[in-house]
Amino acid sequence: MKKKLVSALLVAAMAVTMAAGCGSKEEKSSDKGEKTLKVWVPPLDDATEKNWGGLLKDWEKENDCKVKLTVIPWESYEETYTTAMNSGEGPDVGYMYNEMFPTYIDAGAVTDMSDYVTKDDKKEYKYLSNGYMMDGQYGWPLVTGVPFVLYYNEDILNELGEKAPETWDDFARICKEATKDTDGDGKVDQYGFACGLNTSDIGATQILNAYYYGALWQNGGQIYDDDLKSVTFANEEGKEAMTWLKDLTQYMNTDYMSQSWSDAFANVFGAGKAAFGITRSSQTDETSFKKTYPDLNWDFVTSLQQKEYGTFGATDCLTLMSAAEDKDLAMNFIKYVTGSEFMTKYHKECPGAALTESEPYVGDAKMEKIYTTDKDKWHGLQVGPCGAEILNQLAADFQGIMSGETSVDDGLKEAETFANKTLKDYWQDKE
């Protein structure tokens, strides 16, 4: 399978990469003996090199080190990593999203940072635990927040005599009440839930981020068993969550299979045609929605509750690459750019969730509760072996269930069978 091949290639390449360290001697030092630290990130904003470059000058001077920042396009991100690692040309400090980690952990390409975590770090960094995965601190959260949350149309709920939903039952009841013909022409023109399950332009697993994980977690479910040797999304909790989502299709816009989640939010909820819509939140939604949806009166619920709370929020991390020659220097850099001094300045230009207790919130007051009272209601994805293959298959079966092509039981069974066989093959290789 592709992931096994990638892991094997990475393992074979590690000796070359370890020898390469912080790049060649020519790259590592200037005539003055200045060190070079290679850092790879995706586009974090519209001008990452410019925005980061000016904020790194003090750190570079203090550490007599030049940061060589490379911004890699999202569309070729993981491919670039794989190619570079196999040729010994990777970075000292990398950036990975959850689906990437298992391959590189398995290959020994990233270092467990647990020994660098202090008591003060645990108190200061809000989301540090989200970088702990597969028995190690392999990630140091850099981009987090902006979770998917449930927005609601205040005008529609007021007309129905309803308030913001808290539970699954609340949500389903209001969806049913809101789905109706409002102009008397015999056709439904207002929906309970604006939804979009087309993945042609956003990637298959995005629909899991937007809709599926929240329902699964709220019902007490999880993707993997604790030992990561099997999946649990097809158990009783998983079936209940999928059945609940499937039952909601009767209250969705009729073209929910042909629109993406972002299109459905804009075209249906944003246009005032649905009581609810889900999209990735932003600290500046109050400001931006006034321009984008000037006639929309809205508010949001961070997460519904069934057995518990839960919704998906990205937890992309900086990584300490095993090939880094000066790991102490690389770790110093990681803590600096995720710390309050750097991020307070950066977030003034490019708003994002405060990563530390010391950093002030920057954004609209309406959105602040996501990062204060509600911060435990959202989290990143559980990291486990073969995640990319397993989740892509699950996304395909999710679409099949929601479109009516297969049943909840059959769709989840297919995804479960594929996942457990893939995991069995993976763990056999470890014995």
Side-chain angles (χ1 to χ4, degrees), residues 156-167:
I156 292 177
L157 265 62
N158 288 338
E159 182 182 336
L160 296 173
E162 295 281 5
K163 60 182 182 179
E166 297 179 4
T167 67

Side-chain angles (χ1 to χ4, degrees), residues 130-265:
N130 289 338
Y132 191 89
M133 59 195 80
M134 295 178 71
D135 297 322
Q137 187 74 44
Y138 289 104
W140 203 276
L142 173 70
V143 175
T144 187
V146 297
F148 284 89
V149 302
L150 180 67
Y151 296 80
Y152 61 91
N153 185 309
E154 290 187 299
D155 291 337
I156 292 177
L157 265 62
N158 288 338
E159 182 182 336
L160 296 173
E162 295 281 5
K163 60 182 182 179
E166 297 179 4
T167 67
W168 280 13
D169 287 344
D170 293 339
F171 182 74
R173 181 188 68 252
I174 299 171
C175 281
K176 181 178 180 180
E177 293 172 355
T179 303
K180 58 184 179 180
D181 169 20
T182 63
D183 60 10
D185 67 354
K187 299 179 181 179
V188 173
D189 51 29
Q190 178 178 282
Y191 305 95
F193 189 16
C195 188
L197 298 178
N198 186 286
T199 62
S200 59
D201 63 343
I202 59 170
T205 58
Q206 283 288 333
I207 58 172
L208 302 181
N209 297 348
Y211 305 113
Y212 178 72
Y213 296 138
L216 181 66
W217 295 338
Q218 288 159 24
N219 202 42
Q222 188 56 277
I223 298 295
Y224 293 91
D225 201 353
D226 290 342
D227 63 6
L228 304 180
K229 292 186 176 181
S230 61
V231 294
T232 58
F233 56 71
N235 63 12
E236 182 178 354
E237 288 79 12
K239 288 181 180 178
E240 287 175 353
M242 188 68 81
T243 299
W244 180 72
L245 286 169
K246 172 61 179 174
D247 288 346
L248 291 173
T249 59
Q250 61 189 308
Y251 312 127
M252 295 177 186
N253 43 294
T254 55
D255 58 352
Y256 66 89
M257 289 303 302
S258 62
Q259 294 203 54
S260 68
W261 58 262
S262 57
D263 287 339
F265 185 85

